[in-house]
Amino acid sequence: SPGSQGALGTPRATPEQVHLSYPGEPGTMTVTWTTWVPTRSEVQFGLQLSGPLPLRTQGTSSLFVDGGILKRKFYIHRVTLRRLLPGVQYVYRCGSAQGWSRRFRFRTLKNGPHWSPHLAVFGDLGADNPKALPRLRRDIQQGMYNAVLHVGDFAYNMDEDNGRVGDKFMRLIEPVAASLPYMTCPGNHEERYNFSNYKARFSMPGNTEGLWYSWDLGPAHIISFSTEVYFFLHYGYHLVERQFRWLENDLQKANQNRAIRPWIITMGHRPMYCSNADLDDCTRHESKVRKGLFGRLYGLEDLFYRYGVDLQLWAHEHSYERLWPIYNYQVFNGSQAMPYTNPRAPVHIITGSAGCEERLTPFAIFPRPWSAVRVKEYGYTRLHILNGTHVHIQQVSDDQDGKIVDDIWMVRPLLNRTTYL
Ligand SMILES: *[C@@H]1O[C@H](CO)[C@@H](O)[C@H](O)[C@H]1NC(C)=O
Ligand SMILES: *[C@@H]1O[C@H](CO)[C@@H](O)[C@H](O)[C@H]1NC(C)=O
Ligand SMILES: *[C@@H]1O[C@H](CO)[C@@H](O)[C@H](O)[C@H]1NC(C)=O
């Protein structure tokens, strides 16, 4: 049958760890996979569920050598499909004459700002104890989402056991990640060998190996960046400045386009604020992500406030926390009755409880005055960008069998969104 492996297929040439990402241009999708021997890189695709796949696109592969003592080698294949019809389901398989993947399905993103994307958002998902994954898989197979945002920390860790933990993790998420764009940012668990497993295995937009990039999705501009440049300075102090300049430039451009794409949403791994009972950066008054290096260089809170960022998505803490609109420890509710309608500062969501071997992170006993909701349960976040003024955020608990444990609407009028100043 067309979906099965050919007679010449060898396990080492058969694609595994298949996943998708959106390169940022309308009508495109990138397929990425791994083989253990060099092969050609081809995707065959079409619109029919069964029968032949009439379309084909070639791509490239690159050799990856893991930094561990075995120096394990594998080949990462990348093929970008172009001129796809918007909002349409495609069927595809990837590989070469030496071996094909099974068939997968995905739905292309729609073009333009006038549609309502649904996102699944979480961080800190491991190969062990991946609590949110079964539900995510079911929800995604039912077509609930257009894309995933994985806000850093994968596998624990992708480099472990000479990269085998990364292989295991990428196989584990394949049923999810081969069916919709799986968009990422780096977390602290990707640090080994200068983030090489992260940079090699994922294929994010832009030319920074996925460290920072942005893309448009319906009425939103989504910015992904690395909080890790602030912590692993031995890989290059210059990266802090480079990313900061890029962010400033990207925010400027996004603001010029705000009448068309009103929402600016950021994702980065380590939060500026959190009320967990550990010694993480976000528990310190002058967190590095918020205030920058030495409390004054390249801090992000001022930058995001100045450019009117609406929503900031974080992870790292293995829990869920929602903050009241906040700037510099001051709460800026829209109003007492409707804090998220016309908020006068960005809204922060920390969602790092998808499940990993480190389990959940406890909270400090007394919530801070800026903390609105805290949930120490496994789960993930649903983000529905309804239109240019309305966004719906929900937290799904796995400990409570899919119960919605947090539910808010954020509403911002179209005018005066370019800054909170
Ligand atoms: C680490 O990687 C970044 C970007 O991928 C690069 O600019 C930097 O020079 C690297 N640092 C070292 C020490 O190799
Ligand atoms: C913000 O709104 C929430 C919910 O109404 C309220 O509990 C909190 O006290 C408000 N904070 C400020 C500073 O107004
Ligand atoms: C967004 O949807 C809400 C709820 O249906 C509606 O009240 C609002 O007018 C819509 N905003 C825009 C810009 O269409």
Side-chain angles (χ1 to χ4, degrees):
S1 79
S4 65
Q5 215 168 286
L8 295 174
T10 68
R12 295 178 63 76
T14 303
E16 55 172 81
Q17 309 175 35
V18 181
H19 55 105
L20 298 178
S21 53
Y22 177 63
E25 289 163 49
T28 63
M29 193 70 84
T30 298
V31 188
T32 306
W33 71 92
T34 298
T35 60
W36 304 97
V37 290
T39 65
R40 291 166 61 93
S41 319
E42 183 171 297
V43 172
Q44 301 182 337
F45 60 110
L47 297 166
Q48 308 294 335
L49 273 182
S50 55
L53 297 168
L55 305 166
R56 51 202 54 194
T57 302
Q58 319 279 334
T60 58
S61 74
S62 48
L63 171 65
F64 176 70
V65 183
D66 174 65
I69 121 170
L70 297 182
K71 302 281 174 246
R72 274 171 84 243
K73 287 185 179 140
F74 49 89
Y75 296 84
I76 304 280
H77 301 258
R78 294 187 167 90
V79 174
T80 297
L81 311 179
R82 297 177 189 281
R83 291 181 291 279
L84 301 170
L85 301 168
V88 162
Q89 180 176 274
Y90 282 87
V91 178
Y92 73 101
R93 67 173 188 171
C94 59
S96 69
Q98 289 166 272
W100 292 99
S101 71
R102 72 176 179 86
R103 288 184 177 209
F104 299 100
R105 280 184 277 176
F106 69 87
R107 187 169 292 282
T108 51
L109 302 175
K110 291 185 185 158
N111 298 337
H114 300 294
W115 63 289
S116 306
H118 287 269
L119 298 166
V121 187
F122 55 86
D124 307 74
L125 179 66
D128 277 345
N129 194 32
K131 277 280 174 25
L133 199 57
R135 182 178 317 283
L136 266 169
R137 189 176 164 166
R138 281 200 301 276
D139 290 350
I140 284 165
Q141 273 159 8
Q142 283 172 24
M144 272 181 73
Y145 299 107
N146 302 105
V148 160
L149 306 182
H150 185 145
V151 192
D153 278 10
F154 307 79
Y156 293 73
N157 301 338
M158 290 192 284
D159 60 272
E160 295 271 314
D161 193 10
N162 292 283
R164 290 191 186 98
V165 175
D167 297 335
K168 179 181 170 195
F169 176 79
M170 298 306 288
R171 288 182 200 121
L172 199 66
I173 64 166
E174 187 186 77
V176 165
S179 319
L180 82 182
Y182 197 91
M183 308 303 281
T184 60
C185 70
N188 53 303
H189 279 267
E190 284 67 73
E191 176 268 334
R192 220 51 195 297
Y193 320 124
N194 199 2
F195 298 83
S196 67
N197 269 271
Y198 173 82
K199 296 185 230 179
R201 291 175 189 270
F202 293 106
S203 313
M204 293 302 125
N207 56 8
T208 64
E209 304 168 288
L211 296 181
W212 56 83
Y213 61 90
S214 64
W215 53 299
D216 291 332
L217 181 70
H221 180 70
I222 301 180
I223 299 175
S224 169
F225 66 96
S226 171
T227 50
E228 302 316 301
V229 296
Y230 292 89
F231 299 89
F232 299 108
L233 290 170
H234 56 284
Y235 288 133
Y237 181 91
H238 65 284
L239 295 172
V240 182
E241 186 186 351
R242 251 174 60 200
Q243 173 174 262
F244 190 89
R245 301 275 172 246
W246 178 88
L247 282 170
E248 193 162 32
N249 182 50
D250 193 72
L251 285 164
Q252 237 158 39
K253 282 191 293 187
N255 253 350
Q256 281 159 16
N257 203 27
R258 205 113 185 202
I260 294 161
R261 289 210 155 78
W263 295 101
I264 299 180
I265 299 172
T266 63
M267 66 187 257
H269 182 63
R270 292 194 220 204
M272 290 182 192
Y273 300 92
C274 68
S275 64
N276 295 83
D278 52 24
L279 297 173
D280 282 349
D281 187 57
C282 52
T283 64
R284 298 172 34 190
H285 192 272
E286 309 280 280
S287 69
K288 282 191 179 136
V289 177
R290 190 173 81 83
K291 293 298 278 183
L293 300 177
F294 317 111
R296 63 195 165 80
L297 294 177
Y298 309 116
L300 295 177
E301 185 172 46
D302 278 347
L303 182 72
F304 290 171
Y305 184 75
R306 207 154 16 100
Y307 285 97
V309 167
D310 302 284
L311 177 61
Q312 302 182 22
L313 303 170
W314 310 98
H316 193 58
E317 304 304 319
H318 302 165
S319 51
Y320 171 84
E321 185 166 18
R322 163 164 62 81
L323 310 191
W324 302 121
I326 188 172
Y327 172 68
N328 201 21
Y329 283 93
Q330 235 188 301
V331 170
F332 287 93
N333 289 337
S335 66
Q336 184 88 9
M338 295 203 278
Y340 298 101
T341 295
N342 207 1
R344 291 169 295 122
V347 173
H348 295 241
I349 300 282
I350 303 153
T351 176
S353 59
C356 69
E357 62 183 22
E358 294 176 356
R359 307 199 173 264
L360 296 168
T361 316
F363 286 109
I365 294 171
F366 300 106
R368 315 285 184 233
W370 36 263
S371 179
V373 166
R374 311 192 305 172
V375 181
K376 193 188 144 198
E377 288 171 9
Y378 291 109
Y380 77 90
T381 305
R382 293 181 174 152
L383 177 62
H384 182 197
I385 308 166
L386 179 67
N387 59 28
T389 54
H390 287 58
V391 160
H392 193 193
I393 300 167
Q394 291 179 313
Q395 180 65 9
V396 185
S397 166
D398 272 298
D399 296 13
Q400 298 192 58
D401 197 29
K403 187 174 164 198
I404 303 298
V405 289
D406 190 31
D407 192 319
I408 61 153
W409 281 93
M410 244 186 102
V411 181
R412 285 195 79 188
L414 291 174
L415 288 175
N416 303 325
R417 282 174 75 158
T418 57
T419 184
Y420 296 103
L421 290 174

